[in-house]
Amino acid sequence: MADIVKGMKRTLLLAFALVLPISACGAPATVQAQRLMIPSPTGPHPVGTVSVHLVDQSRQDPWTKSGAKRELMVSLWYPAKDVRNHKVAPWLPKAAAERYLEDNGLKPGSVLLDTTHGHEGAPVDQGLGKLPVILYSPGANASRAYGTGVVEELASRGYVVVTVDHTYDAAVVEFPDGRVETGPELTDFAKAVEVRVADVRFVLDQLPTLDKAHVFDLQRIGMFGHSLGGAATSSAMYADKRIRAGLGLDGAVFGKVAQSGLDRPYLVVDTGGKGGMSTNPALRTFWDGLRGWRLNLTLKGAAHNSFGDDVMLIPMAAKPLGLSKTELEEVVGTIPAERALAFQKAYPLAFFDLHLRKQKEPLLDGPSPAFPEVAYRR
């Protein structure tokens, strides 16, 4: 896991450097601001979003010695009724983006992180009735923004998705008063998972208050995450029965759930690499302990950062950063970006449609000719 997190730190630089203009010789040209663009969601509904500041008055922040209460930033993504006159939300808010660029050696304004497909404050489409809710936890030293592409897809298909930044574990978090909080490179992963589980349970407690339009179906809650976010997903399910189904994208497993397993649906997605089922004893033990619906999907040719927004961006940075083919493949694998993106749009949606909406999903029954790079194991 330590190697994975170090790779994630380098990936932050890649994600931004790749959108800088490149000269004919392959070196960076004169800096000209460009936008990081996320592929459009394919669902029938426009997407609304809102960011919310939460304070857990019952808990002191475990990462600081100040005695301050635990603070979180979350974003709600949902199908919107009308997005006219509602501007699109930034990938990262302004101060967070500037700090992010600074921490990665890029000048302020050299890259614009001001574009998503979520319209800030747009009204939710109440005509769709009660909507299932999905929580998203990102990887270590990452940001809730990293799952934007998958999250927007789910929201466009009629889900409410709550993305969580785990303060001081996340790369950068901006609060409404303008504070920007970062944290040191994470090393205590077991503690981080415990903190994340407490964060998730607190967010679950807040869902009735967050549901201003009274559309959340609190009997249909799922969760997914990447890397450490996958570990947070399985551990949160172990701790809280309100989460009915979970999905880990190349995620680790920590704590009691590794030995005890789960009695609810769980989808293990791995790459066949260092942290995959074939080489991770803890993950195999967890798999053997899954007593409900279970499926292991291996995305052939993928690497740890083939999941999330990075996958379509990092390969473009190889030349300006002088990244060798071997180094690039260690980060995003050999799978073409469009295939990794297709996987991200199709499989999480199918999983949650099956288990939260009870819809038949042939895609999960066995190998699909539409996805020859996906191996199935039950």
Side-chain angles (χ1 to χ4, degrees), residues 12-13 15-17 19-20 92 94-113 172:
L12 302 183
L13 175 58
F16 297 118
V19 293
L20 295 176
L92 282 176
K94 186 175 184 297
E98 290 176 353
R99 178 64 177 272
Y100 218 19
L101 292 174
E102 178 185 347
D103 287 350
N104 287 283
L106 295 173
K107 294 181 179 180
S110 60
V111 179
L112 301 179
L113 306 174
V172 59

mmCIF file with all atom_site columns, all heavy atoms in Angstrom, residues 12-13 15-17 19-20 92 94-113 172:
data_model
loop_
_atom_site.group_PDB
_atom_site.id
_atom_site.type_symbol
_atom_site.label_atom_id
_atom_site.label_alt_id
_atom_site.label_comp_id
_atom_site.label_asym_id
_atom_site.label_entity_id
_atom_site.label_seq_id
_atom_site.pdbx_PDB_ins_code
_atom_site.Cartn_x
_atom_site.Cartn_y
_atom_site.Cartn_z
_atom_site.occupancy
_atom_site.B_iso_or_equiv
_atom_site.pdbx_formal_charge
_atom_site.auth_seq_id
_atom_site.auth_comp_id
_atom_site.auth_asym_id
_atom_site.auth_atom_id
_atom_site.pdbx_PDB_model_num
ATOM 1   N N   . LEU A 1 12  ? -0.655  13.185 -8.899  1.00 0.00 ? 12  LEU A N   1
ATOM 2   C CA  . LEU A 1 12  ? -1.218  14.524 -8.793  1.00 0.00 ? 12  LEU A CA  1
ATOM 3   C C   . LEU A 1 12  ? -0.533  15.463 -9.780  1.00 0.00 ? 12  LEU A C   1
ATOM 4   O O   . LEU A 1 12  ? -1.182  16.259 -10.462 1.00 0.00 ? 12  LEU A O   1
ATOM 5   C CB  . LEU A 1 12  ? -1.044  15.059 -7.365  1.00 0.00 ? 12  LEU A CB  1
ATOM 6   C CG  . LEU A 1 12  ? -1.662  14.228 -6.244  1.00 0.00 ? 12  LEU A CG  1
ATOM 7   C CD1 . LEU A 1 12  ? -1.452  14.930 -4.919  1.00 0.00 ? 12  LEU A CD1 1
ATOM 8   C CD2 . LEU A 1 12  ? -3.122  13.986 -6.505  1.00 0.00 ? 12  LEU A CD2 1
ATOM 9   N N   . LEU A 1 13  ? 0.783   15.392 -9.853  1.00 0.00 ? 13  LEU A N   1
ATOM 10  C CA  . LEU A 1 13  ? 1.525   16.230 -10.772 1.00 0.00 ? 13  LEU A CA  1
ATOM 11  C C   . LEU A 1 13  ? 1.167   15.895 -12.207 1.00 0.00 ? 13  LEU A C   1
ATOM 12  O O   . LEU A 1 13  ? 0.950   16.776 -13.037 1.00 0.00 ? 13  LEU A O   1
ATOM 13  C CB  . LEU A 1 13  ? 3.023   16.045 -10.552 1.00 0.00 ? 13  LEU A CB  1
ATOM 14  C CG  . LEU A 1 13  ? 3.952   16.778 -11.542 1.00 0.00 ? 13  LEU A CG  1
ATOM 15  C CD1 . LEU A 1 13  ? 3.674   18.267 -11.513 1.00 0.00 ? 13  LEU A CD1 1
ATOM 16  C CD2 . LEU A 1 13  ? 5.400   16.490 -11.219 1.00 0.00 ? 13  LEU A CD2 1
ATOM 17  N N   . ALA A 1 15  ? -1.578  14.695 -13.387 1.00 0.00 ? 15  ALA A N   1
ATOM 18  C CA  . ALA A 1 15  ? -2.933  15.091 -13.742 1.00 0.00 ? 15  ALA A CA  1
ATOM 19  C C   . ALA A 1 15  ? -3.008  16.544 -14.179 1.00 0.00 ? 15  ALA A C   1
ATOM 20  O O   . ALA A 1 15  ? -3.836  16.910 -14.997 1.00 0.00 ? 15  ALA A O   1
ATOM 21  C CB  . ALA A 1 15  ? -3.865  14.868 -12.544 1.00 0.00 ? 15  ALA A CB  1
ATOM 22  N N   . PHE A 1 16  ? -2.144  17.373 -13.651 1.00 0.00 ? 16  PHE A N   1
ATOM 23  C CA  . PHE A 1 16  ? -2.164  18.772 -14.020 1.00 0.00 ? 16  PHE A CA  1
ATOM 24  C C   . PHE A 1 16  ? -1.206  19.081 -15.156 1.00 0.00 ? 16  PHE A C   1
ATOM 25  O O   . PHE A 1 16  ? -1.521  19.864 -16.042 1.00 0.00 ? 16  PHE A O   1
ATOM 26  C CB  . PHE A 1 16  ? -1.830  19.636 -12.814 1.00 0.00 ? 16  PHE A CB  1
ATOM 27  C CG  . PHE A 1 16  ? -2.856  19.496 -11.737 1.00 0.00 ? 16  PHE A CG  1
ATOM 28  C CD1 . PHE A 1 16  ? -2.512  18.990 -10.501 1.00 0.00 ? 16  PHE A CD1 1
ATOM 29  C CD2 . PHE A 1 16  ? -4.165  19.833 -11.969 1.00 0.00 ? 16  PHE A CD2 1
ATOM 30  C CE1 . PHE A 1 16  ? -3.464  18.836 -9.520  1.00 0.00 ? 16  PHE A CE1 1
ATOM 31  C CE2 . PHE A 1 16  ? -5.119  19.681 -10.993 1.00 0.00 ? 16  PHE A CE2 1
ATOM 32  C CZ  . PHE A 1 16  ? -4.772  19.188 -9.769  1.00 0.00 ? 16  PHE A CZ  1
ATOM 33  N N   . ALA A 1 17  ? -0.037  18.472 -15.137 1.00 0.00 ? 17  ALA A N   1
ATOM 34  C CA  . ALA A 1 17  ? 0.964   18.782 -16.150 1.00 0.00 ? 17  ALA A CA  1
ATOM 35  C C   . ALA A 1 17  ? 0.484   18.432 -17.540 1.00 0.00 ? 17  ALA A C   1
ATOM 36  O O   . ALA A 1 17  ? 0.830   19.084 -18.515 1.00 0.00 ? 17  ALA A O   1
ATOM 37  C CB  . ALA A 1 17  ? 2.268   18.045 -15.852 1.00 0.00 ? 17  ALA A CB  1
ATOM 38  N N   . VAL A 1 19  ? -2.234  18.865 -19.073 1.00 0.00 ? 19  VAL A N   1
ATOM 39  C CA  . VAL A 1 19  ? -3.074  19.770 -19.826 1.00 0.00 ? 19  VAL A CA  1
ATOM 40  C C   . VAL A 1 19  ? -2.338  21.034 -20.253 1.00 0.00 ? 19  VAL A C   1
ATOM 41  O O   . VAL A 1 19  ? -2.933  21.919 -20.854 1.00 0.00 ? 19  VAL A O   1
ATOM 42  C CB  . VAL A 1 19  ? -4.326  20.166 -19.006 1.00 0.00 ? 19  VAL A CB  1
ATOM 43  C CG1 . VAL A 1 19  ? -5.212  18.971 -18.807 1.00 0.00 ? 19  VAL A CG1 1
ATOM 44  C CG2 . VAL A 1 19  ? -3.938  20.773 -17.686 1.00 0.00 ? 19  VAL A CG2 1
ATOM 45  N N   . LEU A 1 20  ? -1.045  21.122 -19.958 1.00 0.00 ? 20  LEU A N   1
ATOM 46  C CA  . LEU A 1 20  ? -0.269  22.249 -20.441 1.00 0.00 ? 20  LEU A CA  1
ATOM 47  C C   . LEU A 1 20  ? 0.028   22.055 -21.923 1.00 0.00 ? 20  LEU A C   1
ATOM 48  O O   . LEU A 1 20  ? 0.217   20.936 -22.389 1.00 0.00 ? 20  LEU A O   1
ATOM 49  C CB  . LEU A 1 20  ? 1.050   22.356 -19.661 1.00 0.00 ? 20  LEU A CB  1
ATOM 50  C CG  . LEU A 1 20  ? 0.911   22.688 -18.173 1.00 0.00 ? 20  LEU A CG  1
ATOM 51  C CD1 . LEU A 1 20  ? 2.277   22.672 -17.524 1.00 0.00 ? 20  LEU A CD1 1
ATOM 52  C CD2 . LEU A 1 20  ? 0.244   24.025 -17.989 1.00 0.00 ? 20  LEU A CD2 1
ATOM 53  N N   . LEU A 1 92  ? -12.089 21.523 -8.667  1.00 0.00 ? 92  LEU A N   1
ATOM 54  C CA  . LEU A 1 92  ? -11.685 21.914 -7.320  1.00 0.00 ? 92  LEU A CA  1
ATOM 55  C C   . LEU A 1 92  ? -12.054 23.379 -7.137  1.00 0.00 ? 92  LEU A C   1
ATOM 56  O O   . LEU A 1 92  ? -11.912 24.170 -8.069  1.00 0.00 ? 92  LEU A O   1
ATOM 57  C CB  . LEU A 1 92  ? -10.174 21.763 -7.122  1.00 0.00 ? 92  LEU A CB  1
ATOM 58  C CG  . LEU A 1 92  ? -9.588  20.371 -6.886  1.00 0.00 ? 92  LEU A CG  1
ATOM 59  C CD1 . LEU A 1 92  ? -8.071  20.457 -6.821  1.00 0.00 ? 92  LEU A CD1 1
ATOM 60  C CD2 . LEU A 1 92  ? -10.132 19.745 -5.613  1.00 0.00 ? 92  LEU A CD2 1
ATOM 61  N N   . LYS A 1 94  ? -11.562 27.321 -6.020  1.00 0.00 ? 94  LYS A N   1
ATOM 62  C CA  . LYS A 1 94  ? -10.449 28.181 -6.430  1.00 0.00 ? 94  LYS A CA  1
ATOM 63  C C   . LYS A 1 94  ? -9.227  28.083 -5.517  1.00 0.00 ? 94  LYS A C   1
ATOM 64  O O   . LYS A 1 94  ? -8.108  27.840 -5.970  1.00 0.00 ? 94  LYS A O   1
ATOM 65  C CB  . LYS A 1 94  ? -10.925 29.635 -6.521  1.00 0.00 ? 94  LYS A CB  1
ATOM 66  C CG  . LYS A 1 94  ? -9.884  30.596 -7.083  1.00 0.00 ? 94  LYS A CG  1
ATOM 67  C CD  . LYS A 1 94  ? -10.489 31.994 -7.249  1.00 0.00 ? 94  LYS A CD  1
ATOM 68  C CE  . LYS A 1 94  ? -9.490  32.941 -7.901  1.00 0.00 ? 94  LYS A CE  1
ATOM 69  N NZ  . LYS A 1 94  ? -8.273  33.153 -7.096  1.00 0.00 ? 94  LYS A NZ  1
ATOM 70  N N   . ALA A 1 95  ? -9.414  28.308 -4.218  1.00 0.00 ? 95  ALA A N   1
ATOM 71  C CA  . ALA A 1 95  ? -8.259  28.299 -3.311  1.00 0.00 ? 95  ALA A CA  1
ATOM 72  C C   . ALA A 1 95  ? -7.618  26.916 -3.230  1.00 0.00 ? 95  ALA A C   1
ATOM 73  O O   . ALA A 1 95  ? -6.397  26.789 -3.168  1.00 0.00 ? 95  ALA A O   1
ATOM 74  C CB  . ALA A 1 95  ? -8.684  28.772 -1.920  1.00 0.00 ? 95  ALA A CB  1
ATOM 75  N N   . ALA A 1 96  ? -8.442  25.878 -3.245  1.00 0.00 ? 96  ALA A N   1
ATOM 76  C CA  . ALA A 1 96  ? -7.904  24.519 -3.222  1.00 0.00 ? 96  ALA A CA  1
ATOM 77  C C   . ALA A 1 96  ? -7.117  24.229 -4.490  1.00 0.00 ? 96  ALA A C   1
ATOM 78  O O   . ALA A 1 96  ? -6.042  23.616 -4.443  1.00 0.00 ? 96  ALA A O   1
ATOM 79  C CB  . ALA A 1 96  ? -9.038  23.509 -3.062  1.00 0.00 ? 96  ALA A CB  1
ATOM 80  N N   . ALA A 1 97  ? -7.642  24.685 -5.632  1.00 0.00 ? 97  ALA A N   1
ATOM 81  C CA  . ALA A 1 97  ? -6.946  24.458 -6.896  1.00 0.00 ? 97  ALA A CA  1
ATOM 82  C C   . ALA A 1 97  ? -5.592  25.158 -6.909  1.00 0.00 ? 97  ALA A C   1
ATOM 83  O O   . ALA A 1 97  ? -4.589  24.592 -7.359  1.00 0.00 ? 97  ALA A O   1
ATOM 84  C CB  . ALA A 1 97  ? -7.812  24.947 -8.054  1.00 0.00 ? 97  ALA A CB  1
ATOM 85  N N   . GLU A 1 98  ? -5.553  26.398 -6.408  1.00 0.00 ? 98  GLU A N   1
ATOM 86  C CA  . GLU A 1 98  ? -4.288  27.140 -6.381  1.00 0.00 ? 98  GLU A CA  1
ATOM 87  C C   . GLU A 1 98  ? -3.266  26.448 -5.486  1.00 0.00 ? 98  GLU A C   1
ATOM 88  O O   . GLU A 1 98  ? -2.086  26.339 -5.837  1.00 0.00 ? 98  GLU A O   1
ATOM 89  C CB  . GLU A 1 98  ? -4.544  28.570 -5.907  1.00 0.00 ? 98  GLU A CB  1
ATOM 90  C CG  . GLU A 1 98  ? -5.320  29.407 -6.928  1.00 0.00 ? 98  GLU A CG  1
ATOM 91  C CD  . GLU A 1 98  ? -5.657  30.791 -6.409  1.00 0.00 ? 98  GLU A CD  1
ATOM 92  O OE1 . GLU A 1 98  ? -5.407  31.043 -5.197  1.00 0.00 ? 98  GLU A OE1 1
ATOM 93  O OE2 . GLU A 1 98  ? -6.178  31.614 -7.196  1.00 0.00 ? 98  GLU A OE2 1
ATOM 94  N N   . ARG A 1 99  ? -3.714  25.957 -4.345  1.00 0.00 ? 99  ARG A N   1
ATOM 95  C CA  . ARG A 1 99  ? -2.811  25.250 -3.438  1.00 0.00 ? 99  ARG A CA  1
ATOM 96  C C   . ARG A 1 99  ? -2.342  23.940 -4.061  1.00 0.00 ? 99  ARG A C   1
ATOM 97  O O   . ARG A 1 99  ? -1.168  23.558 -3.948  1.00 0.00 ? 99  ARG A O   1
ATOM 98  C CB  . ARG A 1 99  ? -3.516  24.990 -2.106  1.00 0.00 ? 99  ARG A CB  1
ATOM 99  C CG  . ARG A 1 99  ? -2.674  24.200 -1.103  1.00 0.00 ? 99  ARG A CG  1
ATOM 100 C CD  . ARG A 1 99  ? -1.416  24.966 -0.673  1.00 0.00 ? 99  ARG A CD  1
ATOM 101 N NE  . ARG A 1 99  ? -0.675  24.231 0.333   1.00 0.00 ? 99  ARG A NE  1
ATOM 102 C CZ  . ARG A 1 99  ? -0.903  24.330 1.640   1.00 0.00 ? 99  ARG A CZ  1
ATOM 103 N NH1 . ARG A 1 99  ? -1.868  25.137 2.109   1.00 0.00 ? 99  ARG A NH1 1
ATOM 104 N NH2 . ARG A 1 99  ? -0.189  23.640 2.496   1.00 0.00 ? 99  ARG A NH2 1
ATOM 105 N N   . TYR A 1 100 ? -3.228  23.281 -4.728  1.00 0.00 ? 100 TYR A N   1
ATOM 106 C CA  . TYR A 1 100 ? -2.922  22.016 -5.388  1.00 0.00 ? 100 TYR A CA  1
ATOM 107 C C   . TYR A 1 100 ? -1.843  22.214 -6.456  1.00 0.00 ? 100 TYR A C   1
ATOM 108 O O   . TYR A 1 100 ? -0.887  21.460 -6.549  1.00 0.00 ? 100 TYR A O   1
ATOM 109 C CB  . TYR A 1 100 ? -4.208  21.506 -6.032  1.00 0.00 ? 100 TYR A CB  1
ATOM 110 C CG  . TYR A 1 100 ? -4.428  20.023 -5.979  1.00 0.00 ? 100 TYR A CG  1
ATOM 111 C CD1 . TYR A 1 100 ? -3.759  19.193 -5.092  1.00 0.00 ? 100 TYR A CD1 1
ATOM 112 C CD2 . TYR A 1 100 ? -5.365  19.448 -6.836  1.00 0.00 ? 100 TYR A CD2 1
ATOM 113 C CE1 . TYR A 1 100 ? -3.997  17.839 -5.061  1.00 0.00 ? 100 TYR A CE1 1
ATOM 114 C CE2 . TYR A 1 100 ? -5.618  18.089 -6.809  1.00 0.00 ? 100 TYR A CE2 1
ATOM 115 C CZ  . TYR A 1 100 ? -4.929  17.284 -5.913  1.00 0.00 ? 100 TYR A CZ  1
ATOM 116 O OH  . TYR A 1 100 ? -5.176  15.940 -5.885  1.00 0.00 ? 100 TYR A OH  1
ATOM 117 N N   . LEU A 1 101 ? -2.021  23.262 -7.261  1.00 0.00 ? 101 LEU A N   1
ATOM 118 C CA  . LEU A 1 101 ? -1.040  23.557 -8.299  1.00 0.00 ? 101 LEU A CA  1
ATOM 119 C C   . LEU A 1 101 ? 0.306   23.922 -7.674  1.00 0.00 ? 101 LEU A C   1
ATOM 120 O O   . LEU A 1 101 ? 1.359   23.467 -8.126  1.00 0.00 ? 101 LEU A O   1
ATOM 121 C CB  . LEU A 1 101 ? -1.541  24.696 -9.186  1.00 0.00 ? 101 LEU A CB  1
ATOM 122 C CG  . LEU A 1 101 ? -2.752  24.397 -10.072 1.00 0.00 ? 101 LEU A CG  1
ATOM 123 C CD1 . LEU A 1 101 ? -3.213  25.658 -10.781 1.00 0.00 ? 101 LEU A CD1 1
ATOM 124 C CD2 . LEU A 1 101 ? -2.451  23.312 -11.090 1.00 0.00 ? 101 LEU A CD2 1
ATOM 125 N N   . GLU A 1 102 ? 0.261   24.738 -6.645  1.00 0.00 ? 102 GLU A N   1
ATOM 126 C CA  . GLU A 1 102 ? 1.495   25.147 -5.969  1.00 0.00 ? 102 GLU A CA  1
ATOM 127 C C   . GLU A 1 102 ? 2.235   23.935 -5.411  1.00 0.00 ? 102 GLU A C   1
ATOM 128 O O   . GLU A 1 102 ? 3.464   23.813 -5.568  1.00 0.00 ? 102 GLU A O   1
ATOM 129 C CB  . GLU A 1 102 ? 1.163   26.118 -4.838  1.00 0.00 ? 102 GLU A CB  1
ATOM 130 C CG  . GLU A 1 102 ? 2.365   26.569 -4.032  1.00 0.00 ? 102 GLU A CG  1
ATOM 131 C CD  . GLU A 1 102 ? 1.973   27.441 -2.844  1.00 0.00 ? 102 GLU A CD  1
ATOM 132 O OE1 . GLU A 1 102 ? 0.817   27.894 -2.796  1.00 0.00 ? 102 GLU A OE1 1
ATOM 133 O OE2 . GLU A 1 102 ? 2.821   27.640 -1.956  1.00 0.00 ? 102 GLU A OE2 1
ATOM 134 N N   . ASP A 1 103 ? 1.508   23.039 -4.779  1.00 0.00 ? 103 ASP A N   1
ATOM 135 C CA  . ASP A 1 103 ? 2.129   21.860 -4.187  1.00 0.00 ? 103 ASP A CA  1
ATOM 136 C C   . ASP A 1 103 ? 2.733   20.943 -5.237  1.00 0.00 ? 103 ASP A C   1
ATOM 137 O O   . ASP A 1 103 ? 3.599   20.114 -4.922  1.00 0.00 ? 103 ASP A O   1
ATOM 138 C CB  . ASP A 1 103 ? 1.097   21.082 -3.365  1.00 0.00 ? 103 ASP A CB  1
ATOM 139 C CG  . ASP A 1 103 ? 0.740   21.783 -2.066  1.00 0.00 ? 103 ASP A CG  1
ATOM 140 O OD1 . ASP A 1 103 ? 1.422   22.760 -1.709  1.00 0.00 ? 103 ASP A OD1 1
ATOM 141 O OD2 . ASP A 1 103 ? -0.236  21.358 -1.412  1.00 0.00 ? 103 ASP A OD2 1
ATOM 142 N N   . ASN A 1 104 ? 2.278   21.079 -6.478  1.00 0.00 ? 104 ASN A N   1
ATOM 143 C CA  . ASN A 1 104 ? 2.781   20.234 -7.546  1.00 0.00 ? 104 ASN A CA  1
ATOM 144 C C   . ASN A 1 104 ? 3.676   20.992 -8.518  1.00 0.00 ? 104 ASN A C   1
ATOM 145 O O   . ASN A 1 104 ? 3.933   20.530 -9.628  1.00 0.00 ? 104 ASN A O   1
ATOM 146 C CB  . ASN A 1 104 ? 1.607   19.590 -8.288  1.00 0.00 ? 104 ASN A CB  1
ATOM 147 C CG  . ASN A 1 104 ? 0.959   18.502 -7.454  1.00 0.00 ? 104 ASN A CG  1
ATOM 148 O OD1 . ASN A 1 104 ? 1.473   17.408 -7.331  1.00 0.00 ? 104 ASN A OD1 1
ATOM 149 N ND2 . ASN A 1 104 ? -0.174  18.817 -6.851  1.00 0.00 ? 104 ASN A ND2 1
ATOM 150 N N   . GLY A 1 105 ? 4.158   22.167 -8.093  1.00 0.00 ? 105 GLY A N   1
ATOM 151 C CA  . GLY A 1 105 ? 5.165   22.879 -8.857  1.00 0.00 ? 105 GLY A CA  1
ATOM 152 C C   . GLY A 1 105 ? 4.664   23.606 -10.087 1.00 0.00 ? 105 GLY A C   1
ATOM 153 O O   . GLY A 1 105 ? 5.449   23.911 -10.992 1.00 0.00 ? 105 GLY A O   1
ATOM 154 N N   . LEU A 1 106 ? 3.377   23.924 -10.145 1.00 0.00 ? 106 LEU A N   1
ATOM 155 C CA  . LEU A 1 106 ? 2.816   24.631 -11.289 1.00 0.00 ? 106 LEU A CA  1
ATOM 156 C C   . LEU A 1 106 ? 2.335   26.013 -10.852 1.00 0.00 ? 106 LEU A C   1
ATOM 157 O O   . LEU A 1 106 ? 1.852   26.197 -9.737  1.00 0.00 ? 106 LEU A O   1
ATOM 158 C CB  . LEU A 1 106 ? 1.651   23.841 -11.896 1.00 0.00 ? 106 LEU A CB  1
ATOM 159 C CG  . LEU A 1 106 ? 2.035   22.496 -12.522 1.00 0.00 ? 106 LEU A CG  1
ATOM 160 C CD1 . LEU A 1 106 ? 0.789   21.727 -12.922 1.00 0.00 ? 106 LEU A CD1 1
ATOM 161 C CD2 . LEU A 1 106 ? 2.941   22.693 -13.736 1.00 0.00 ? 106 LEU A CD2 1
ATOM 162 N N   . LYS A 1 107 ? 2.465   26.993 -11.746 1.00 0.00 ? 107 LYS A N   1
ATOM 163 C CA  . LYS A 1 107 ? 2.095   28.371 -11.421 1.00 0.00 ? 107 LYS A CA  1
ATOM 164 C C   . LYS A 1 107 ? 0.582   28.522 -11.303 1.00 0.00 ? 107 LYS A C   1
ATOM 165 O O   . LYS A 1 107 ? -0.165  27.872 -12.034 1.00 0.00 ? 107 LYS A O   1
ATOM 166 C CB  . LYS A 1 107 ? 2.627   29.310 -12.494 1.00 0.00 ? 107 LYS A CB  1
ATOM 167 C CG  . LYS A 1 107 ? 4.152   29.379 -12.560 1.00 0.00 ? 107 LYS A CG  1
ATOM 168 C CD  . LYS A 1 107 ? 4.602   30.356 -13.636 1.00 0.00 ? 107 LYS A CD  1
ATOM 169 C CE  . LYS A 1 107 ? 6.124   30.446 -13.675 1.00 0.00 ? 107 LYS A CE  1
ATOM 170 N NZ  . LYS A 1 107 ? 6.591   31.390 -14.721 1.00 0.00 ? 107 LYS A NZ  1
ATOM 171 N N   . PRO A 1 108 ? 0.119   29.406 -10.414 1.00 0.00 ? 108 PRO A N   1
ATOM 172 C CA  . PRO A 1 108 ? -1.318  29.674 -10.305 1.00 0.00 ? 108 PRO A CA  1
ATOM 173 C C   . PRO A 1 108 ? -1.893  30.105 -11.647 1.00 0.00 ? 108 PRO A C   1
ATOM 174 O O   . PRO A 1 108 ? -1.310  30.928 -12.353 1.00 0.00 ? 108 PRO A O   1
ATOM 175 C CB  . PRO A 1 108 ? -1.384  30.806 -9.276  1.00 0.00 ? 108 PRO A CB  1
ATOM 176 C CG  . PRO A 1 108 ? -0.138  30.661 -8.477  1.00 0.00 ? 108 PRO A CG  1
ATOM 177 C CD  . PRO A 1 108 ? 0.914   30.173 -9.435  1.00 0.00 ? 108 PRO A CD  1
ATOM 178 N N   . GLY A 1 109 ? -3.018  29.529 -12.010 1.00 0.00 ? 109 GLY A N   1
ATOM 179 C CA  . GLY A 1 109 ? -3.677  29.897 -13.261 1.00 0.00 ? 109 GLY A CA  1
ATOM 180 C C   . GLY A 1 109 ? -3.147  29.190 -14.490 1.00 0.00 ? 109 GLY A C   1
ATOM 181 O O   . GLY A 1 109 ? -3.684  29.360 -15.582 1.00 0.00 ? 109 GLY A O   1
ATOM 182 N N   . SER A 1 110 ? -2.084  28.393 -14.335 1.00 0.00 ? 110 SER A N   1
ATOM 183 C CA  . SER A 1 110 ? -1.549  27.702 -15.507 1.00 0.00 ? 110 SER A CA  1
ATOM 184 C C   . SER A 1 110 ? -2.483  26.600 -15.979 1.00 0.00 ? 110 SER A C   1
ATOM 185 O O   . SER A 1 110 ? -2.471  26.222 -17.147 1.00 0.00 ? 110 SER A O   1
ATOM 186 C CB  . SER A 1 110 ? -0.171  27.124 -15.191 1.00 0.00 ? 110 SER A CB  1
ATOM 187 O OG  . SER A 1 110 ? -0.241  26.202 -14.123 1.00 0.00 ? 110 SER A OG  1
ATOM 188 N N   . VAL A 1 111 ? -3.282  26.078 -15.074 1.00 0.00 ? 111 VAL A N   1
ATOM 189 C CA  . VAL A 1 111 ? -4.286  25.076 -15.395 1.00 0.00 ? 111 VAL A CA  1
ATOM 190 C C   . VAL A 1 111 ? -5.590  25.487 -14.724 1.00 0.00 ? 111 VAL A C   1
ATOM 191 O O   . VAL A 1 111 ? -5.601  25.862 -13.553 1.00 0.00 ? 111 VAL A O   1
ATOM 192 C CB  . VAL A 1 111 ? -3.863  23.677 -14.890 1.00 0.00 ? 111 VAL A CB  1
ATOM 193 C CG1 . VAL A 1 111 ? -4.943  22.651 -15.207 1.00 0.00 ? 111 VAL A CG1 1
ATOM 194 C CG2 . VAL A 1 111 ? -2.548  23.259 -15.520 1.00 0.00 ? 111 VAL A CG2 1
ATOM 195 N N   . LEU A 1 112 ? -6.681  25.439 -15.468 1.00 0.00 ? 112 LEU A N   1
ATOM 196 C CA  . LEU A 1 112 ? -7.992  25.799 -14.936 1.00 0.00 ? 112 LEU A CA  1
ATOM 197 C C   . LEU A 1 112 ? -8.737  24.537 -14.553 1.00 0.00 ? 112 LEU A C   1
ATOM 198 O O   . LEU A 1 112 ? -8.953  23.659 -15.374 1.00 0.00 ? 112 LEU A O   1
ATOM 199 C CB  . LEU A 1 112 ? -8.779  26.599 -15.967 1.00 0.00 ? 112 LEU A CB  1
ATOM 200 C CG  . LEU A 1 112 ? -8.119  27.903 -16.433 1.00 0.00 ? 112 LEU A CG  1
ATOM 201 C CD1 . LEU A 1 112 ? -8.991  28.597 -17.485 1.00 0.00 ? 112 LEU A CD1 1
ATOM 202 C CD2 . LEU A 1 112 ? -7.860  28.837 -15.261 1.00 0.00 ? 112 LEU A CD2 1
ATOM 203 N N   . LEU A 1 113 ? -9.121  24.466 -13.300 1.00 0.00 ? 113 LEU A N   1
ATOM 204 C CA  . LEU A 1 113 ? -9.834  23.298 -12.782 1.00 0.00 ? 113 LEU A CA  1
ATOM 205 C C   . LEU A 1 113 ? -11.265 23.699 -12.447 1.00 0.00 ? 113 LEU A C   1
ATOM 206 O O   . LEU A 1 113 ? -11.797 23.359 -11.400 1.00 0.00 ? 113 LEU A O   1
ATOM 207 C CB  . LEU A 1 113 ? -9.120  22.767 -11.542 1.00 0.00 ? 113 LEU A CB  1
ATOM 208 C CG  . LEU A 1 113 ? -7.636  22.460 -11.736 1.00 0.00 ? 113 LEU A CG  1
ATOM 209 C CD1 . LEU A 1 113 ? -6.991  22.074 -10.414 1.00 0.00 ? 113 LEU A CD1 1
ATOM 210 C CD2 . LEU A 1 113 ? -7.447  21.364 -12.760 1.00 0.00 ? 113 LEU A CD2 1
ATOM 211 N N   . VAL A 1 172 ? -6.091  17.989 -0.467  1.00 0.00 ? 172 VAL A N   1
ATOM 212 C CA  . VAL A 1 172 ? -6.393  19.391 -0.214  1.00 0.00 ? 172 VAL A CA  1
ATOM 213 C C   . VAL A 1 172 ? -7.895  19.528 -0.021  1.00 0.00 ? 172 VAL A C   1
ATOM 214 O O   . VAL A 1 172 ? -8.677  18.922 -0.739  1.00 0.00 ? 172 VAL A O   1
ATOM 215 C CB  . VAL A 1 172 ? -5.893  20.283 -1.375  1.00 0.00 ? 172 VAL A CB  1
ATOM 216 C CG1 . VAL A 1 172 ? -6.522  19.876 -2.691  1.00 0.00 ? 172 VAL A CG1 1
ATOM 217 C CG2 . VAL A 1 172 ? -6.120  21.747 -1.091  1.00 0.00 ? 172 VAL A CG2 1
#
